[in-house]
Amino acid sequence: MLKEKYALLDTDFISKTHLIRKDNQNTMIDRILDLPGYQFFCHEQIQREISRHDAVESNEWLNKKIAEERIHCLSDEDILDELHGIYSDSAEAMYTNMLKNGCEAFRKDYLETSFPGLTNIDFTNTSKETFLQVLSKDCANIGEGNNLGEIKSYVLFQMLSVKYGEQVYVFCSDDKDARKGIISLGGVRCISVVSAFPRLIKDGGMSEEEIRPYIQSFLEERQKNNQTTIKVHENSKEGRMKKVSCEKVMEELLEGKLETLMNGNLRYNCKNNKMEGT
């Protein structure tokens, strides 16, 4: 029996994989949602960010998938309700601790400087409604940007991890620095846009013929942004990374020469080293 997996989608992953497509009706993110055994989640803040900054088409796509319950979009109140079911009256304190962990992925004093209302709350005398009001006011003062979408996603990740254990995955940015935050929380299984391709083959059962149009679209998007290489770990004790052309990386993925690490990076596997005589 297939074990259920729980997957968190971030803004960058949704945006990029919506652009990678076979045609207008068949995007890479659609194929991701078709993966068997996965439940997909995003935070309400991600929906807001895509509605403000992304193309109308991707915004409409996300809203439709949420309405169809293909993606579960959770608000801060939804997360708090889940935490009440686990921690009872300590839910607000646990949410704040999870928020602190998310904030510290960016800056040690982020919670204290950007969430002064929550920092000064007396949890023993605060209702859920008051807590949410204070949280909302702090978020409004932070304003757009300032990593709020990532931080809220980190809170959602922690809640999902508490509820479901180790079967939580994060589909996230290809940018290594952007992934440092979520990785710093520990125990994270990251899947970047690049490492999602072997996931579509392994878990999605896509053939080489089926996946090639998406690979071609991916390569075209990389070219538009002048991104000609991808960093890949060597299979060595040092684990050094080297730049490999995007075209070669995609071919080697299809040939089974690369494996995906927990942080979403790619590494040459032992079989490939033997083939190349190293």
Side-chain angles (χ1 to χ4, degrees):
M1 186 176 178
L2 191 66
K3 193 171 184 179
E4 194 77 22
K5 299 183 179 72
Y6 304 89
L8 184 60
L9 299 167
D10 77 2
T11 304
D12 190 64
F13 188 89
I14 293 171
S15 299
K16 288 183 176 178
T17 52
H18 190 265
L19 291 173
I20 300 168
R21 57 186 59 201
K22 178 181 178 181
D23 51 49
N24 288 336
Q25 284 72 47
N26 291 279
T27 67
M28 184 176 178
I29 188 65
D30 284 308
R31 301 290 75 77
I32 296 293
L33 292 192
D34 288 339
L35 288 172
Y38 284 78
Q39 286 192 42
F40 292 93
F41 296 82
C42 75
H43 193 282
E44 187 178 56
Q45 184 67 30
I46 301 302
Q47 186 182 23
R48 292 195 194 103
E49 291 184 355
I50 288 180
S51 69
R52 284 198 301 260
H53 304 299
D54 253 38
V56 172
E57 189 180 15
S58 56
N59 180 41
E60 290 178 348
W61 177 91
L62 179 59
N63 290 337
K64 180 182 178 183
K65 297 305 175 184
I66 291 171
E68 295 172 348
E69 298 185 350
R70 297 289 305 281
I71 298 173
H72 306 290
C73 183
L74 274 65
S75 65
D76 291 314
E77 184 172 7
D78 293 328
I79 293 172
L80 206 54
D81 286 341
E82 292 286 353
L83 292 176
H84 269 285
I86 301 169
Y87 297 109
S88 190
D89 293 340
S90 300
E92 285 76 19
M94 289 304 303
Y95 182 101
T96 305
N97 185 62
M98 291 177 176
L99 184 65
K100 180 179 177 64
N101 292 337
C103 286
E104 289 184 349
F106 294 96
R107 195 175 72 242
K108 285 294 181 183
D109 64 343
Y110 196 120
L111 183 75
E112 290 75 14
T113 57
S114 299
F115 294 89
L118 288 190
T119 303
N120 295 308
I121 273 186
D122 177 4
F123 295 111
T124 61
N125 294 302
T126 301
S127 67
K128 184 185 83 169
E129 291 71 23
T130 299
F131 178 87
L132 288 169
Q133 289 171 5
V134 173
L135 174 60
S136 179
K137 183 177 179 180
D138 281 346
C139 290
N141 289 334
I142 291 172
E144 292 186 26
N146 297 305
N147 309 114
L148 192 56
E150 290 98 328
I151 290 169
K152 291 295 186 72
S153 290
Y154 298 169
V155 173
L156 176 54
F157 168 78
Q158 291 173 84
M159 184 278 285
L160 293 174
S161 297
V162 168
K163 185 173 181 179
Y164 298 116
E166 296 183 355
Q167 291 297 307
V168 182
Y169 297 76
V170 180
F171 287 81
C172 53
S173 173
D174 270 324
D175 184 82
K176 185 177 72 172
D177 291 333
R179 278 186 277 129
K180 282 182 179 178
I182 189 70
I183 291 168
S184 70
L185 297 177
V188 181
R189 289 174 168 81
C190 285
I191 302 173
S192 66
V193 177
V194 176
S195 61
F197 282 100
R199 185 72 55 173
L200 288 173
I201 295 170
K202 180 182 177 183
D203 291 353
M206 290 183 71
S207 66
E208 181 176 333
E209 181 181 359
E210 289 171 327
I211 206 166
R212 277 208 177 272
Y214 297 96
I215 289 176
Q216 183 58 38
S217 178
F218 166 78
L219 294 173
E220 290 171 0
E221 288 297 322
R222 298 280 294 194
Q223 289 171 357
K224 289 178 186 177
N225 295 292
N226 296 314
Q227 298 170 315
T228 60
T229 61
I230 297 169
K231 287 186 177 181
V232 182
H233 286 278
E234 296 177 348
N235 195 308
S236 63
K237 187 176 180 180
E238 295 79 14
R240 292 184 296 265
M241 297 189 80
K242 64 178 182 179
K243 292 182 179 180
V244 183
S245 73
C246 295
E247 291 81 4
K248 186 176 180 182
V249 168
M250 301 315 290
E251 288 302 319
E252 290 180 326
L253 277 173
L254 291 176
E255 293 167 3
K257 293 181 178 180
L258 298 170
E259 59 187 357
T260 304
L261 305 179
M262 276 188 67
N263 63 7
N265 289 344
L266 298 174
R267 179 176 66 188
Y268 282 102
N269 56 37
C270 295
K271 179 181 178 182
N272 182 56
N273 283 349
K274 291 177 182 177
M275 290 174 64
E276 306 226 331
T278 59

